[in-house]
Amino acid sequence: CCHDGRVRRPATALLPALLVVVVLAGACTSGGSSDDTSATTDVARVDGAPFDADDLPPLHLEGGDQPRIADDEGRQVLLRGVNLNTLGDYDQANPDLEPTFPYDEGDFAEMAALGFDVVRPLVSWSRLEPEPGQIDEAYIDEIRDAVDDAAAQGLYTVIDMHQDAYSRYVATPEGETCPAGLQPAIGWDGAPEWATLTDGRSTCNNGSRESAGAVVAAWNNFWADTDGIQAHLVDVWARLATEFAAEPAVAGYDLLNEPGFGPGVDDTNTAMAAFYARAVDAIRGAEAAADGGFEHLVFFEPVILWSGLGDAPVPAPFTDDANLVFSPHLYAESITAGDVTIAEGFEHAAEKAATYDTTFWVGEYGWFGDPDEQAGLVAEYARQEDRHLVGGAWWQWRQACGDPHSVGEGPAYEPPDVLVHLHRTACPSGEDLGITQPWATTLSRTYPRSAPGRLTRLRNDAASGAARIRGEVDGDGTLVLWVPDRDLGVPLVSTSAGGTGTVTAGAGGFRVEVPVSGTYEVRVTPTDALSVGG
């Protein structure tokens, strides 16, 4: 049963399995021998994904020397998935092209068939509170529907208060001429119009959407809480927290996407810490009042410079709340400027998280060019993600032809012929060109959905589904794995705990549950020799 996990087989499409038995063999020791005898168990089969809403217990931060996200049984949870922007309120620069696609339940089913356990849906303040103090309850219902639809496929949600360039209301008016060296701006997404206080500054920018005077002024006024606009967003968070107080499928709340800097980085960090503290207090107060029974995770981000540079100063610790998670965006060797490597990006994130006595979770990462040329970079990202035993959300599932990211700053506001995300999209037709390989192979690799105690090591061969997982737990427990179906047969699982486990074959792969105890190692390898019958 023992080998080093390097399987020399080609990657294939994710296919459903028709399987009957699996062998769980004894542990592979350093000397290559086994202490336990093998046993067989039936393989169950489900029509859809092998995980569902019952696999989404409430999450919290497990503190201590090695902080980690854990469920209510103390099992470590990595949260690996993708961003979904269909609920975002983007400006429409090209009147002929819609800025978002509607989702359907098939999107979540396909995410589940890739083994994902989380989706990060973007939501917009401009739709949540279109007029001061007036919450759009129909939009809350849309968010609730998305949470429920994702949960039905075994997907947590991280609700993300998204913004880019502060607001959709920072576009240069039609017919206005910008000074030499500057260019007109398009609108983006985020704050409602009444909370976009630009002090009459110019909307023209120097090629960077955040450089416009109007955007800088809008952030200055938000951080200063001019006219109480920041307090309004705090109240919006309280409303969302009330709505989802008892919802375990909501992993947590991302307080503000890529916060902009108005008054300078240091002053922004001071103001941002105050806003974060207010928002956390509002969320906890709403949860307590709703008596939901637990506190959700709160994800907080550094200033937007982090995404552009791969590192940036962060706010001083701003609360003693026990369920905060640092959530930078890691675009090193993608869109990050300079020579920051992927490995260095992870190290920076780990170092900053440690200053808050927490772990980190990557709210966004991704590539947007030739999938074959960038496959090695995606694989290196995956290696670092496994090495640091964390999760994250790929940016993004699919992008519409009229999305501001697609049409750019004009003047024609025309997208490229093909948009490359986890799904490729033809423009201007909007035709879905399907999943992007080989990225999907890497992202769908084997990983623990929940691990008793804590993980200590995770190694992967994405092409085959082979993996090695190490961990330690006081007493015993059950390690629950996602294993992709690479059309290479039933996974062979060897474990130091011995005994039998259970395997469920579903869309895209397998749910494997393995008994473990103490300090354990589990190896997963594909073996078509163990697949019999039909």
Side-chain angles (χ1 to χ4, degrees), residues 307-378:
S307 296
L309 302 177
D311 195 6
V314 296
F318 49 87
T319 178
D320 59 1
D321 192 272
N323 284 305
L324 265 63
V325 176
F326 184 52
S327 188
H329 298 172
L330 300 190
Y331 284 112
E333 299 188 62
S334 174
I335 62 173
T336 292
D339 57 0
V340 176
T341 66
I342 294 168
E344 289 170 339
F346 273 87
E347 291 298 332
H348 294 159
E351 290 168 3
K352 295 298 195 298
T355 67
Y356 300 103
D357 296 323
T358 189
T359 186
F360 67 97
W361 183 77
V362 183
E364 293 180 19
Y365 69 100
W367 280 262
F368 315 99
D370 184 293
D372 292 321
E373 291 181 0
Q374 295 178 332
L377 295 171
V378 177

Side-chain angles (χ1 to χ4, degrees), residues 433-453:
L433 301 179
I435 202 77
T436 303
Q437 298 286 4
W439 296 347
T441 299
T442 299
L443 300 185
S444 66
R445 67 196 184 277
T446 297
Y447 75 101
R449 288 267 308 207
S450 57

Side-chain angles (χ1 to χ4, degrees), residues 206-265:
N206 64 7
S208 168
R209 65 192 183 191
E210 284 81 17
S211 67
V215 175
V216 174
W219 279 114
N220 277 333
N221 283 306
F222 178 79
W223 295 128
D225 197 15
T226 303
D227 296 339
I229 56 174
Q230 185 188 116
H232 276 275
L233 185 54
V234 170
D235 290 342
V236 168
W237 268 122
R239 173 65 186 89
L240 287 169
T242 299
E243 177 71 23
F244 297 107
E247 180 53 75
V250 172
Y253 309 115
D254 190 333
L255 295 178
L256 189 59
N257 181 74
E258 295 186 338
F261 53 97
V265 176

